[in-house]
Amino acid sequence: MTVMQHETTIAEAADRLSKELPGHRVEILQGRLTVTPPADGAHSETLTWLIEEFAAAGARKAGLKYLQTIGIALPTGPDDFAIPDFALVEEGYKSTRTAYNCYSPEAFRLIVEVTSSNWSDDIGVKVDSYAKAGIPVYVIADRHHDEAILCSDPRNGAYRVRRTYKRGESIPLPESIGVAVELPVDLLLDGDEN
């Protein structure tokens, strides 16, 4: 009797986990499969607040869309992709669709991640991956360290500017994203003024 073995690829494993763990975020970061449980209330409030801020700033009139949990193809590995919490993308982003329901990095102007149980990915491997993808602005609401981080000006696979902001401060986003927005650190971390 011949036994046939099928070796599962990392992309197949990611697809299977996505189906088996509804509500969890499954990503492949630099060849490593990661799974994050559903967001807590404060995390979700931050994302809702970001949508309101970018709507008020006129992002749609500027030819931009603001989206939650949209996949981005990453150049760090053949199957690598991430699903950022929040993204500001070009209006025509749908024409850049790639594998795994992801979109090309060229369509992205801004990514925001709010840390949860996988905080080390957000402040480590994703900084590297998003810089290599050329994402112009990456903001991290680092709830683990109670601060926010602005990464911008990616060149040669690294962010040239990395600045940390504390509670009580606001992050002035670079005008290059297409709209003028300041993000108060307290709202990024807590999700609501109450």
Side-chain angles (χ1 to χ4, degrees):
M1 179 170 132
T2 304
V3 176
M4 302 279 295
Q5 289 186 348
H6 173 71
E7 192 170 310
T8 302
T9 68
I10 194 165
E12 291 169 336
D15 186 50
R16 188 178 50 216
L17 281 173
S18 292
K19 292 173 184 165
E20 292 175 6
L21 298 170
H24 287 67
R25 185 175 315 183
V26 178
E27 301 171 302
I28 301 173
L29 302 171
Q30 296 184 0
R32 183 175 52 91
L33 188 62
T34 67
V35 179
T36 306
D40 63 23
H43 187 286
S44 295
E45 285 181 8
T46 295
L47 301 181
T48 300
W49 169 75
L50 283 167
I51 288 171
E52 293 168 353
E53 287 297 302
F54 281 90
R60 288 204 183 262
K61 289 180 183 173
L64 303 168
K65 296 202 176 200
Y66 32 88
L67 305 167
Q68 294 183 46
T69 62
I70 180 174
I72 178 173
L74 297 171
T76 51
D79 294 317
D80 286 4
F81 68 93
I83 304 171
D85 290 322
F86 179 88
L88 187 66
V89 297
E90 301 283 341
E91 190 173 53
Y93 77 95
K94 290 178 185 175
S95 68
T96 72
R97 187 173 172 161
T98 65
Y100 314 118
N101 291 324
C102 292
Y103 297 87
S104 176
E106 291 80 30
F108 290 74
R109 293 223 187 149
L110 164 77
I111 287 178
V112 179
E113 296 280 12
V114 179
T115 62
S116 52
S117 60
N118 67 336
W119 61 270
S120 61
D121 284 339
D122 292 337
I123 65 171
V125 68
K126 286 188 178 180
V127 173
D128 181 59
S129 296
Y130 293 157
K132 286 180 175 151
I135 303 306
V137 180
Y138 174 37
V139 175
I140 308 157
D142 184 356
R143 299 187 306 168
H144 185 76
H145 295 101
D146 204 37
E147 61 190 17
I149 303 164
L150 170 69
C151 301
S152 61
D153 196 14
R155 293 196 193 166
N156 300 320
Y159 284 110
R160 291 174 34 121
V161 176
R162 182 178 172 132
R163 179 156 181 230
T164 301
Y165 293 82
K166 301 293 182 191
R167 287 190 175 274
E169 297 180 313
S170 288
I171 300 173
L173 296 178
E175 291 181 17
S176 62
I177 65 168
V179 289
V181 176
E182 282 203 14
L183 303 177
V185 172
D186 292 358
L187 289 175
L188 280 170
L189 297 173
D190 301 333
D192 198 346
E193 297 178 65
N194 299 326

